[in-house]
Amino acid sequence: MASDRSRTSISAWRPPVPGIAEVFHAHFTDHAYPAHTHDTWDLMILDDGSVDFALDRRRHGATGTAGVLLLPPGVPHDGRTVTASGFRKRNLYLDDSVLPQRLAGRAVDAPVLSDGLLRHRIDQLHAALVHPEDALEAESRLSFISERLCFHLDALQPRAPGPEANRLAAELRELLDSRIRAGISLGEAAAILHAHPTHLIRCFKQTYGLPPHTYLTGKRIDLARRLLLGGHRPAEVATTVGFHDQAHLNRHFTRHVGTTPARYKRTGTGSPATSP
């Protein structure tokens, strides 16, 4: 028993993303939640193992990585391990700006969703949330998760881009180009352009072939390359072009260019870049 408890691990934080009250990652080998409620929606995926839970006095179970669990606010639920190996889970606690509380009753009826696309999108969001400086990407991914959940709970079909797509995309690109250093949230862009966030992203991707957060990162990398070749230090360049810090610049720059900013900068002095 003591060795099982020693394998329990927990990580929790509050990301700078509107609508997400908390991110919670845990590995439980021997734990039982008492009956309780949340003020938020609890959106959970399993990475391993099985969980048994009661929601509104009805028992449910989930095993493996196929399903998505959605527990509505204000409804009593519990949870417990099923096997000796326990389970690994990742939770997002979402406020009613992501999902309206009026949908809670429908979530009680079917708290386990078998939806591979939704599960994949949640996994992508968790990966983005590990890097709090990539808030635009996380906000974008959350908007598609919200849309997919509304599809399940409210039978709302997403709107396909129409004749307005190119215009909206061009207006969003102008916004992004004017905010390369400062950045812009998806919510602010949607409010300025009077468009739903997911519709705005779809229009942009249809027109330019990539999502807005990827476009903005690329513009920052292009600006960083010019500054590095001009002799500026990577730490200075990072904040100048809109990255959170040098580590943030390093991660994206290496992925885009194939080398670190420091090695790239040395090419601008006529010194050959050294191999890693």
Side-chain angles (χ1 to χ4, degrees):
M1 184 68 69
S3 63
D4 282 346
R5 290 189 181 279
S6 69
R7 300 205 317 266
T8 295
S9 62
I10 289 174
S11 177
W13 68 97
R14 178 173 293 172
V17 179
I20 304 180
E22 182 184 333
V23 184
F24 185 78
H25 295 180
H27 175 208
F28 289 126
T29 54
D30 181 23
H31 180 65
Y33 286 101
H36 62 287
T37 64
H38 296 291
D39 293 332
T40 56
W41 293 85
D42 180 358
L43 182 63
M44 183 176 91
I45 57 175
L46 289 174
D47 291 315
D48 186 45
S50 302
V51 63
D52 176 86
F53 67 98
L55 179 66
D56 197 28
R57 297 187 294 273
R58 292 178 55 196
R59 298 221 69 85
H60 304 270
T63 299
T65 61
V68 173
L69 281 66
L70 179 65
L71 308 181
V75 181
H77 59 276
D78 63 15
R80 63 195 183 197
T81 56
V82 176
T83 65
S85 60
F87 61 88
R88 297 180 187 273
K89 68 168 186 168
R90 287 177 286 170
N91 296 67
L92 297 171
Y93 293 95
L94 309 174
D95 65 32
D96 56 12
S97 68
V98 179
L99 278 179
Q101 294 207 19
R102 64 178 178 79
L103 299 177
R106 297 181 187 182
V108 169
D109 295 334
V112 182
L113 305 172
S114 181
D115 185 336
L117 175 59
L118 176 61
R119 207 271 181 195
H120 176 63
R121 286 177 174 173
I122 295 170
D123 178 66
Q124 289 180 313
L125 175 55
H126 277 284
L129 291 170
V130 171
H131 304 287
E133 61 273 11
D134 291 335
L136 178 58
E137 177 183 355
E139 191 180 359
S140 299
R141 296 197 183 283
L142 178 61
S143 68
F144 281 97
I145 290 168
S146 172
E147 179 186 80
R148 191 72 178 175
L149 290 171
C150 286
F151 167 76
H152 280 285
L153 299 177
D154 215 15
L156 292 179
Q157 293 283 355
R159 177 187 170 196
E164 79 291 347
N166 290 345
R167 173 185 60 80
L168 277 175
E171 290 174 352
L172 178 55
R173 187 175 68 172
E174 288 179 8
L175 267 180
L176 294 172
D177 288 345
S178 69
R179 306 277 190 97
I180 291 176
R181 293 173 174 84
I184 188 170
S185 72
L186 179 61
E188 183 182 359
I192 291 172
L193 299 179
H194 306 289
H196 189 276
T198 55
H199 184 65
L200 193 56
I201 295 170
R202 283 192 175 96
C203 290
F204 193 92
K205 190 170 183 180
Q206 175 177 287
T207 301
Y208 298 115
L210 71 173
H213 70 266
T214 303
Y215 173 83
L216 179 60
T217 298
K219 295 290 287 188
R220 286 171 170 169
I221 294 296
D222 283 347
L223 181 55
R225 293 174 73 151
R226 293 197 293 271
L227 292 175
L228 289 166
L229 292 180
H232 295 271
R233 295 178 296 108
E236 173 192 355
V237 169
T239 53
T240 298
V241 305
F243 289 109
H244 181 71
D245 53 23
Q246 188 172 345
H248 189 201
L249 168 65
N250 284 354
R251 179 163 58 87
H252 285 292
F253 195 94
T254 301
R255 186 162 57 88
H256 278 253
V257 185
T259 189
T260 66
R263 290 192 180 110
Y264 185 84
K265 177 179 180 297
R266 284 198 291 270
T267 69
T269 64
S271 301
T274 59
S275 299

